Every structure is written in structure tokens, then in C-alpha cells.
Amino acid sequence: MRSMFAALFTTLLTCALPAAADDNAIPPLDPDKGYVEPFQLFDNVYYVGDKWISAYVIKTSAGLILVDTLEAPYGRWIPGNMRKLGLDPAALKIILVTHGHSDHLSGAQYLQSHFGSRVLMSAADLSLAKAQAAKSRKQESGAFTLPKFELVKRDGREVTLGDTTVKLYLTPGHTPGSMSVDFFARLGDKRYRAFIVGGMGTNFEGRERAEQYLASVHRIRQLAAREPRVQVNLTNHPRMCQLFERKARAEREGVEKVFVDAGNFSALLDTLEQRGRDKLEAIASAQVSE
């Protein structure tokens, strides 16, 4: 009799309590939440990001490299996106985080916990990443914890996986530790130098940061001019390189090399340079009015 009442009590109690949150729940593939179907850009480069934030997979002979991980919880879309493209998420060996804002970082711990990936981020953004994670825990959704990082302290560090080497440049400004990624995309037997600028926005404060931002843009321009010159612009927000528009053009016109466009990268740098100048002018005007 006691066991019958105990079972009944447990059943009633369980029904009365709210269901525990599933930390591994995958959000619905909802376009209104930013979901887009993944697609291939080059023989070794794939887009697995969403409508607003980029995430790229670089395929190597020894596994996969992922650049950025989306905002929590939408980074949980990435493994499924990989599978849609015929990629095995268990082969995800390295994750590169371009900077410490949550929309690029917060899916990393989920992916690392499932696939054991190494996560590399600039050491200068560690404090920012910690602050972003703490802030997320005060919100109703999007809470995340940090992965175990390998902190990048050396500018120009090379990371090799199988037949692929990427170079990591410290290009601060957007954040103190924005980190840009330099590698080669392949089409058949052709290789094209690709570049992902680590941070593009001017949503920061202070003259020093604005000057730092401009200095990084000028440096990236110099790096891009080295032979072989950068011909592939893969920004960490897709609108900044007209990614979806160029994909639509490729589908409409059958243009195989639509993502090979040195002018597109040059135009991006012009835009970023103007943004930096505008920021400096705004700071100067605010100081005069005080």
C-alpha cells in the first residue's frame, strides 16, 4: 500500500514540476530565427552559418576546421548542417573563434563537449568572452558556458591540420583580440587565397580603439597585397561580402568562380576604413561638444 501511494505521489509531483531545460535541445530550423540551408563554396570550404552570422567549415585531409560557432543555442544547428553537406561532425578537430562576442563564440562549448574539438581564440579577448558568458546567464535564453581555450598570443601563428595550414593574425579594434584567418580555398587544381577579417563593426568606445581599428584595416590591406593576393572574401557576417547574393548569382548563371573576387575584398577594406574614419570623427566631435 505504501509503495502504491508513493508511486502516485511521485507521479503527481512530476506532473506539477516544469520540465527541465534540455541543454542539448536543437532549435527548430526556422528561417525567422535565421536558419538557412548550408551550402558549398569551394571544394574545401562550406557555409554552415545562419542568416546573420557566418560559420565556415574548411575540409582538410585530417579532419575539419570550423571558423566561428554562431549565437547560442543556434550553434547546435552546425552538426546537422555538416551532415547535410556530407561532412562528419565527429571529424571536427579545430574551432577558430574570430573574437569574443557571443554571436561568434557561444556555440563553441556545445561543439567541444560533443566532438572534443580544440578551440582557439586570441588571448586578448578572454576577458570579453568571460563577460559575455556571465551576461548570458542573466538572460532568459541564450545562456552559454565557455569551452576550454587554446589562447593565441603570437601574431601570424600557423595552425596545420593534414594538408591545410591557416595563418592567424591579431587584428584588434572591433574587440581587443579580433583574430583574422588566412588560408587557401580550392577549386579543382586551382588554389585561391581567402581571408576572414576578425572583426568589422565599430560598436566600441574610445579614440585608442578607433585608431587601433584603422591600423588593423591598413595592416590587412598590406597582408592582402602579398603574393598570391587575396581573392576570396569570406566575412564573419554574410551581408558584408554579399554572400547570399553571390550564391544566388552562381545558381542563376552557373558561375563557378563567383566567390573568387579580389575586388569584393578590396571594397570591404574601403568600407571598413571609412567606418574607422567616421568613428574617429564622431569621437572628436563629441569631445569638442563636451
Side-chain angles (χ1 to χ4, degrees), residues 34-39 41 47-56 233 235 237-252 258-259 264:
Y35 184 78
V36 296
E37 289 294 325
F39 56 94
L41 293 86
Y47 188 80
V48 295
D50 64 25
K51 190 183 298 183
W52 303 292
I53 304 125
S54 301
Y56 300 100
N233 182 25
T235 52
H237 289 275
R239 67 182 179 84
M240 293 299 293
C241 64
Q242 300 78 51
L243 188 75
F244 301 130
E245 293 84 352
R246 289 191 288 157
K247 174 180 179 287
R249 180 186 163 212
E251 293 171 345
R252 185 175 61 250
V258 69
F259 297 107
N264 186 272

Side-chain angles (χ1 to χ4, degrees), residues 78-247:
I78 290 176
N81 281 347
M82 289 182 178
R83 293 185 184 100
K84 285 185 176 183
L85 295 168
L87 304 171
D88 182 1
L92 179 56
K93 303 300 182 184
I94 297 172
I95 297 171
L96 305 176
V97 175
T98 58
H99 62 272
H101 284 152
S102 63
D103 53 345
H104 301 273
L105 162 68
S106 58
Q109 191 276 335
Y110 172 87
L111 295 170
Q112 185 182 69
S113 68
H114 282 73
F115 308 114
S117 316
R118 298 164 57 196
V119 180
L120 280 70
M121 185 186 73
S122 169
D125 263 8
L126 182 59
S127 294
L128 172 62
K130 289 179 177 179
Q132 294 272 292
K135 181 180 178 181
S136 79
R137 291 191 286 274
K138 299 176 182 178
Q139 300 170 348
E140 291 184 6
S141 62
F144 69 97
T145 56
L146 296 180
K148 295 179 180 178
F149 287 116
E150 292 183 32
L151 296 176
V152 177
K153 301 178 182 179
R154 180 170 58 83
D155 181 65
R157 176 175 170 181
E158 294 187 350
V159 177
T160 299
L161 184 64
D163 58 359
T164 300
T165 296
V166 301
K167 283 189 176 182
L168 306 176
Y169 294 107
L170 305 181
T171 51
H174 176 62
T175 68
S178 292
M179 185 174 74
S180 296
V181 183
D182 189 350
F183 67 101
F184 284 93
R186 297 196 309 269
L187 278 175
D189 59 356
K190 301 290 187 180
R191 297 199 320 158
Y192 303 95
R193 189 174 166 208
F195 204 95
I196 304 172
V197 176
M200 297 176 292
T202 53
N203 50 329
F204 51 77
E205 300 299 327
R207 172 175 290 276
E208 182 179 353
R209 285 279 294 282
E211 291 174 345
Q212 197 176 48
Y213 179 96
L214 266 176
S216 288
V217 174
H218 294 161
R219 179 164 181 252
I220 291 168
R221 198 184 291 277
Q222 292 175 337
L223 289 169
R226 294 177 182 174
E227 294 294 341
R229 294 178 176 237
V230 170
Q231 294 180 275
V232 180
N233 182 25
L234 299 178
T235 52
N236 58 13
H237 289 275
R239 67 182 179 84
M240 293 299 293
C241 64
Q242 300 78 51
L243 188 75
F244 301 130
E245 293 84 352
R246 289 191 288 157
K247 174 180 179 287

